[in-house]
Each structure stands twice: as structure tokens, then as C-alpha cells.
Amino acid sequence: MMAGRSAPAPPSAAISQYVLKVHSRCDLSCDHCYVYEHVDQTWRGRPREMAAATLDAAAARIAEHATARDLPVVHVVLHGGEPLLLGPARMRQILNGLRTVIDPVAPLDLRLQTNGVRLDPAFCDLFVEYDVKVGVSLDGDRVANDRHRRFANGASSHDPVRQALALLRRPEYRASYAGILCTVDVANDPEAVYAALLAEEPPRIDLLLPHHTWDHPPVRPGGSPTPYADWLGRIYRRWVNDGRPVSIRLFDALCPGGTPAGTEAVGLGPADLLVVETDGTWEQTDSLKVAYDGAAGTGRTVFDHTVDEAARHPGVATRQTGLAGLSSICQSCPVVARCGGGLYAHRYRSGAGFDNPSVYCADLRKLISIIDRHPPGSAPTVDRAAAPRPPGEIPPPRRSPDRPDAEPVPLDVERILDDLAGGGGGPESIAFLVDAELAIVRALLAASRDATAPGPGWDLLVDLDTTAPATLRTVLRHPFLRPRLTSLLSGPRQPGSRSPEPDPVAALAAAAAVRAGISAEVQVPVAGGEVFLPTLGAFWMPSTGIDTVVLTVRPGGFRLLAGSEPYDVRLDEPAGWPSGWRPTRRSGLPGHEVIIEDLDPARDCYGQSVRERLAERPAADLVETVTEAWRLAERDVPRHATAMRVGMRAVVPLDTSPTGALRSATARAAFGAVAVGPVADPETLAVLLVHEWQHSKLGAVLDLYDLVEPGSPVRLSVPWRPDPRPAEGVLQGAYAHLAIAEVWHARAVADRPADRTAATHADRFHRWTGEALDELAASRSLTAAGDRFVAGLGRALAGLVRG
């Protein structure tokens, strides 16, 4: 290359979709509107209407590009604000100008998106004349629609919008009816919304997730990790049961082998859209307005820049690279081809840009699993009239009656579920569960920003996500962060008020900064007289009445400054610890960190009393017992031990049972932690660790996939309990008992003197597992994925006998 000459710009992809913002104001005041109600406020400095000269320049640029790229069709959407504010006369000029310039070089698919309140026969006649397809925004029934879509004076928009839809249903205007756009709000009744939309007889429905980012996360009522998947899943099941009476674009796109989405919301298709604002500015997709002020900008205009020049903007180019343009987490996800990483705008996080999964990651994953369990054409979700199966017969996976050879779940999910159904689960499958649980924690963490008063800890956390992501991931995987966040988000408080609980972010960020050795200073909360740093330990404050202390990261440790009193902790010099410092204890497992968690207040989530801080001798005994028990698990069931090494992070000491019986437990929200009562025998503790790890693992599976039909009333008899159990509880018991049968079977085969009763134990747990699987198979309470999972457990049990 010659000196002084810049490299030519890389070629851009062809652009066939355009949104023209022909009017920048609106006659409604919707509080969820991304144009007016989010961080980007560039609309304030733009003309109200697109001038004739601007429209002419935009049409010429589009036609120029269509000719150069020999496009088979060009799609143009008139948008706003509210485009009908132009009035019929100006609207005619715009439609005529676009048809005159673009139609001669490429067929023009011309559309318009409106709130509908100004739609009348004059507009409809115009749209029929110029072959314009009209989409109308409606969020459902009156209650759902008026939750957000109101006039500025608070008046309802529901009646005028329904009048507009009635116009479009007339025979003379029906050809112009494109469909309904509905923004999801989980506060609304999903089935009532679905019924209201269906009543308008639209040719298509678009269900849109509300625009949010990791900085401003969506509302998750009660701390639920996947409320949007649950909400959409109810509509999806109803839609499939109804025989799919209307196209719902999100479901059509996410179904296995589904149609292209025609949107950036899901899928790996390249970005194929540019926006022209009223002043002629080329912009990226306008959903980016939710990220930060000016996020959608390109610095280019229709007067000075071609479509190709606008499309070479880095933001547009990144969205044209498909899988390569996604974060590393998304690239390794087995459903990435379906969700495509979610909408680009929903991936934004300060400090990390768009190199993140969608803030709806957990919801998209669960929605895909719901779709896979009930594929289009499958039998209705609830089929009580079907003949019962013979007792003991493990059913085949459910299949679509018109596609008998089709599997009910896609290959990637089948592979993971089949691997986990074998009882253990390889490192790849366990890592998938770890990543899924981490995504849930991140979603809850983002949601907590609105429930607490965000402090400087957030800035440090965002910075660490970029500078020390592996260390931050280790801290975010602390098993009791999710219970803490769930409690924070679901605690009783008045609407609009903030949680009285301390913001956990500062302590998280501080712990990660200390572990990474990154210089930082942050105020951390004092709760119950102590400062708790997840994965590191707790400092008991000698002083009282202190709400926060300043933590400064120092080489090898940190300093706490309470008022004017400094306390220095060097993690590598136990002899120099101040008297208030109580470090987190760790097992002696080589190359793997399992902590003995007797400090975190959130560990009290098992429904059983946990022990307070252990004294030195009992703690040392427990560390020794856990280390030896782990070694025995590696000896007896190495595949389970390998899975534990990937996923298990903590052992919580429980109090002694009043009856002296053995105690152990897991909590659904505390993935990777098991709780055990005092156990002096490593052989016994090894069994308990494997048993509870199975429960923790299956809990993570159930966070992603419904293996039992939701709301199933079935109760089943099991040999290990006198009372009938819910189907999910029976599945949990069978999964744990299969692993215990493996432990005792291995000990019986080894025929060691210390294991003379092993064969008896192996037979008992084998029998219990088999009887439970028979009950589940005959119950018709399982989903398609659950049928497959139970069948896999049956094969694993049979293989254990053959072994």
C-alpha cells in the first residue's frame, strides 16, 4: 500500500429494509415508548415532519442501492412518532414519491406502522390506492392496552384503536391489514391478551419484549428469573392447542425449522435495515435508542452518503456478521441459532457495550424449551382422555402425529438432556447448566438495580466485567447470591419504593477486585454488625452503629476504614489478621475450590437450621471429612465426581437433628451448594454429597425445561415415603436414588471388607428408583422432554444391572 493512502472501506452487505421516520411527534403518551421515554432524546432536535427534499433524497438513495445490488424487492416502513399526523394530503405526496422513484427499479413493499387513533376511511382509501400494508399497535384488552397506551391527558386509546382495526377488517380495506404489534407486559393476563388480539382477526401478530438493557433491566415480579418466557409460553401453548389460527412472528421464527423472523429480535440473519430520520440522518435500528443517547447514530445523511456508506458504519457491520458478532457466551450456547443472541439493543451494558447476551437470555432459552416440548402440530398440552399406559412401560417421546419421524426437541437439547438423564452428565453439560444459572443471576442482579439505590459499586462491577471477567464470574457463581437477590426483589415494600435490604453489589465488586488484585476503593455495607465479602470471608466490626465502611484493595489483601479506624487484612498472612476477620474456609481438594460456607447470611435457605460459624477444630474436622469424602466419590463414581468438580462450589454445615438422624439438603435457588449435618464418616458423607448434588443439578435442569406438565395435580406413591408425592418430587427422588444405587453398586463390586452391606443398599436403591420410574411413566404427567428424560434414567438403571 502506498504511503499516505488509507485502506478502502470494506464492502457492505445489501440493505433491503428501510424505516422512514416521516413524523417525529406522537399523539399518544405511551410510557414504554423507546423513542420518547428512554435515554436517547435526539428526537427533540429534529423536524416534526420529513421535508419533501429529504424524502426525495432518501428515495433516490434507496433506488440507487437497489439498482446497484439488483435487489429483488425493497421494503419501506413509514414510521414515527405517528405517521398519520402528516394528514392525508402530505401522506399522498410521500406515497406517490416513493412509488414513482423506487418501483421502476425494484418492487416496493410499502408498509406503515401506526397507533391507529387517527385512521379513517380517507387514509384507508389512500392505502388501498398505493398498496400500503398497515400495522396497528394494540397491547390487548382494555386493561392491558391502557396500562401504557394512553393520551397525554390519561384518556384511554382502546376504543379508537379498535375502531381503526374494525375499518381494516372491512372487505374493501382488508388487503391493507398487515397485523397487530403488541408489547409484552407480564402484569397483564396473557390469555386475555391473546384472546383480545385474536378477536381483531389480524393476519399476523407481533409479540415484542419491552426494550430494556442490562443497565435498565426489565421488571421481574417476585424475583422470577424467567417471567417473560412463562408469560409467552402460556400464549404459545394456547396458540398450538388452537391450531395456530394466526401467524405469530416470534413463535414462527423460534419453532424448529421455523420461518425467517424478518426482524433482528431473534435468529442469526444479518442486519438488513437502516433508518432515515426526519432530518435525513441515516441511523441504525432505532431500538438502540434504549442503550444511550445517540446510540443509533451513524454520522451520515441521505444528502451526503450512499446506502453503502451508511451500511459500513461499525454498528451496522457488526450486526451483519451473524454468529461471529455475538458474545463468547452466546457463541457457545446450544440454542444460539434459534435466538441469535436476542435483539441487539437488549445486549447493552455500560462498560461492555453490546458484547453480552440479551438481558432476556434466560427467558429466550426457556421459551425455546417450551416450544420444543410442544412443537406445532403436536397433541394438546393436556390430554386426559388418552388411554393409560400399562404399568412399568416407559413411554417413547411424544411426537407430532403428522410428522411421526420428527423428534420433539432439537438435537442440541436432546444431547444435553440425554447426557444428564444418564445420571451423571459430562463436563460440557454441567458447564451448560453453570452458564444458565449464571445468566439467571446476572438477570436478577440487573433487576436489583431498580430495587436498590445504585451506588459506586455498580461502576466497579461493570469495570471488572471487562477487566477481570473470569474472577468476577467466580464471585457471581457464589451459590447464595441468587437467594439473596431473590429475597431483595421479592421483599414486601410499597410500589415505587426501594428495598430496605443493603445493595449486594458493592460487596460483590469488592470481593472480585480483591481476588483479582485490582486497585479499587468502594463503600461496602455493614449488616448485622459485619461486612460480608462473598467467597472471601466476613469482618466483625468492633464498633456499633456503622452502616458502611470504605474498602480499599491493597497488595495481597485490603483495608477497611470504619470512621477513622483502619483494619488491614492480608489474605496471605493469617498471623497478621485483625481479630474481627473470619476467612472463608476451603476444602483441601487439589485444583478445585469448594468452600465451607458458614458465614453467608443468605445460606439459611434450606428449611433447616444452619450452624453458626464453626470453631477451629470442628471446621478443620469438616474440611478433612469433605476432602476424604470427595476422594471416595472419585473412587466409587468418577463420572459423578467429575460433574461435581465442574458445578459444586460450597458445603453448608447444618445443625444436628434433634433425633440424631443424618441431615442433608439442597435449595433450588442455591445451585452448586449442598448442606449437611455433622457427619464424621467420610464414606457416609460421600453418599450424601452425591445424593444432594443430584438434586442441585436437576434443579438447574428444571430452571430451563419443564419435565413435568406445569400445574399437574398428579400425586404418586413411592417406596421411600409414606405419603403420595408430586410428580416433580418423585422425579427428584428417582434421580438422586439412581446415583446412590451407583455408589453402592460400585462398593459391592469392589467387595471390600468395610462394604459387606453394600449389595443390600444397592438393591434397595435400585428397586426404589425402578418403582419411581414406573410410576412416572404411567402417570401421563410428564412433558415430551420429561418422557425422554425418564426413559434415559430407565436405560441408565438397566445399564447399572448389566454392569
Side-chain angles (χ1 to χ4, degrees), residues 526 529 541-548:
V526 178
M541 301 301 302
S543 305
T544 60
I546 298 177
D547 295 327
T548 62

Side-chain angles (χ1 to χ4, degrees), residues 83-142:
L84 297 190
L85 286 171
L86 290 168
R90 177 63 183 135
M91 181 67 72
R92 175 180 288 277
Q93 294 172 352
I94 288 177
L95 299 179
N96 184 67
L98 292 170
R99 286 279 178 211
T100 300
V101 175
I102 299 173
D103 259 337
V105 300
L108 175 59
D109 172 32
L110 194 50
R111 296 175 180 263
L112 178 142
Q113 185 64 39
T114 175
N115 61 36
V117 299
R118 291 177 179 265
L119 192 66
D120 60 16
F123 271 121
C124 288
D125 289 336
L126 190 61
F127 296 146
V128 169
E129 179 183 352
Y130 282 93
D131 188 19
V132 180
K133 301 294 188 293
V134 180
V136 178
S137 298
L138 178 73
D139 285 350
D141 58 0
R142 182 181 298 276

Side-chain angles (χ1 to χ4, degrees), residues 362-732:
D363 291 284
L364 290 170
R365 257 206 277 217
K366 185 169 185 180
L367 178 59
I368 290 170
S369 76
I370 291 170
I371 289 172
D372 290 340
R373 291 195 303 274
H374 307 284
S378 62
T381 302
V382 180
D383 185 10
R384 301 300 179 197
R389 301 187 182 101
E393 177 186 335
I394 295 179
R398 295 174 189 157
R399 301 172 188 271
S400 170
D402 58 343
R403 296 174 60 208
D405 295 330
E407 295 294 343
V409 286
L411 180 60
D412 46 19
V413 175
E414 287 177 357
R415 176 173 51 80
I416 290 169
L417 288 180
D418 286 350
D419 185 35
L420 293 166
E428 182 183 4
S429 298
I430 305 303
F432 173 74
L433 296 182
V434 169
D435 287 342
E437 290 295 312
L438 185 60
I440 291 172
V441 167
R442 281 186 176 274
L444 292 174
L445 189 62
S448 75
R449 186 184 181 98
D450 288 341
T452 60
W458 277 100
D459 296 333
L460 177 57
L461 197 72
V462 168
D463 181 62
L464 290 166
D465 208 11
T466 302
T467 58
T471 303
L472 180 61
R473 175 187 172 94
T474 298
V475 178
L476 292 183
R477 283 189 59 192
H478 182 61
F480 301 102
L481 177 55
R482 179 174 167 186
R484 183 185 299 275
L485 292 169
T486 300
S487 175
L488 184 150
L489 291 169
S490 61
R493 55 183 184 270
Q494 295 298 318
S497 68
R498 296 193 180 276
S499 170
E501 298 186 36
D503 179 5
V505 171
L508 284 171
V514 171
R515 291 182 66 120
I518 291 178
S519 297
E521 183 176 284
V522 62
Q523 279 197 330
V524 293
V526 178
E530 70 176 13
V531 176
F532 176 69
L533 301 176
T535 75
L536 291 180
F539 189 84
W540 182 260
M541 301 301 302
S543 305
T544 60
I546 298 177
D547 295 327
T548 62
V549 298
V550 176
L551 183 147
T552 304
V553 180
R554 299 163 67 92
F558 58 93
R559 165 173 285 185
L560 292 175
L561 187 62
S564 60
E565 187 72 25
Y567 301 94
D568 291 315
V569 177
R570 286 191 58 86
L571 299 178
D572 54 352
E573 293 182 6
W577 288 340
S579 59
W581 176 244
R582 297 178 292 176
T584 297
R585 286 139 172 166
R586 288 163 172 78
S587 70
L589 299 171
H592 181 53
E593 180 178 284
V594 172
I595 64 177
I596 307 300
E597 184 55 271
D598 58 355
L599 292 172
D600 192 336
R603 75 190 187 282
D604 191 9
C605 58
Y606 293 100
Q608 302 184 41
S609 57
V610 296
R611 299 186 69 178
E612 294 303 321
R613 175 69 167 180
L614 297 176
E616 289 301 323
R617 184 66 263 169
D621 291 343
L622 180 57
V623 166
E624 182 179 343
T625 306
V626 168
T627 304
E628 178 61 15
W630 197 289
R631 187 190 67 78
L632 294 174
E634 291 177 327
R635 178 199 70 186
D636 296 331
V637 281
R639 67 194 188 105
H640 287 284
T642 298
M644 289 161 57
R645 185 172 288 274
V646 177
M648 190 182 292
R649 283 293 177 267
V651 175
V652 176
L654 295 175
D655 278 336
T656 304
S657 166
T659 64
L662 287 176
R663 276 183 153 182
S664 64
T666 51
R668 176 76 168 266
F671 174 72
V674 303
V676 295
V679 182
D681 176 17
E683 296 271 357
T684 301
L685 183 56
V687 174
L688 294 179
L689 291 180
V690 172
H691 175 271
E692 297 301 342
W693 165 241
Q694 290 294 96
H695 286 310
S696 186
K697 186 170 51 176
L698 186 56
V701 173
L702 292 170
D703 276 339
L704 298 175
Y705 308 109
D706 287 329
L707 302 183
V708 175
E709 289 286 1
S712 172
V714 171
R715 294 293 184 272
L716 305 174
S717 297
V718 293
W720 61 86
R721 290 281 297 256
D723 52 326
R725 305 294 297 156
E728 186 172 301
V730 175
L731 181 60
Q732 281 276 8

